[in-house]
Amino acid sequence: MKRIAFLSALLALASTGRAEAANLAVITSPPTLLNGAVFVVAVGCLILCIQVMGAVRGGLLSKSWQFFLIGFGLLAASQILNVLQTIEVVVLPSFVVPAVLTAMAAVFLYGLLTTKRTLS
C-alpha cells in the first residue's frame, strides 16, 4: 500500500504537462465519422488478410499478401492518428498522416506489382 501511495505521489509531482479535456464534440462531425468508418473497415481487411496469409502460407502469393497486410496496417494507423488529432488527443505535425497514407499507397502498389509478376 505504501508503494502505491508513493508511486502515485511521484507520478502526480512528475507530470509537468497540463491536463485538458479532449474535444469530443467534434467526433460527431461527418469527416471524423467517415475516418472512424474507414478505420473499422481497415481493421476488418487487416483481419481478412491475416486469414488469407494463413491459407497461402508459404505459397507464391504469400509475399504479395504480406505487402497488403502492411498496407492495411498503415491505413488503419493513419486513420486512428487522424481521428486522435481531430479530437485533439495528440498533436502531430501536419505532414504525418499524409506521409503514412503515401507509404500505404506505395506498399499497395508494390504488392500489386508483386502479384502481377507472380501470376504472369
Side-chain angles (χ1 to χ4, degrees):
M1 185 68 178
K2 289 182 181 181
R3 184 184 301 165
I4 294 172
F6 175 72
L7 288 175
S8 297
L10 184 66
L11 287 175
L13 293 174
S15 64
T16 58
R18 51 181 206 193
E20 294 181 14
N23 191 0
L24 295 178
V26 83
I27 205 165
T28 58
S29 67
T32 307
L33 288 176
L34 184 61
N35 287 336
V38 170
F39 171 71
V40 170
V41 170
V43 169
C45 291
L46 198 63
I47 292 169
L48 287 175
C49 276
I50 291 171
Q51 291 177 351
V52 171
M53 289 265 309
V56 297
R57 177 181 40 242
L60 294 174
L61 291 175
S62 65
K63 188 75 166 175
S64 60
W65 276 102
Q66 287 175 355
F67 287 116
F68 293 143
L69 180 73
I70 293 168
F72 282 121
L74 288 172
L75 178 62
S78 71
Q79 293 304 310
I80 197 69
L81 285 175
N82 198 2
V83 168
L84 289 175
Q85 187 175 9
T86 302
I87 62 173
E88 297 172 358
V89 173
V90 296
V91 178
L92 297 172
S94 62
F95 66 87
V96 172
V97 175
V100 174
L101 285 173
T102 303
M104 181 243 359
V107 169
F108 274 140
L109 179 64
Y110 192 71
L112 286 174
L113 292 176
T114 306
T115 304
K116 181 182 174 194
R117 192 175 329 132
T118 302
L119 294 178
S120 60

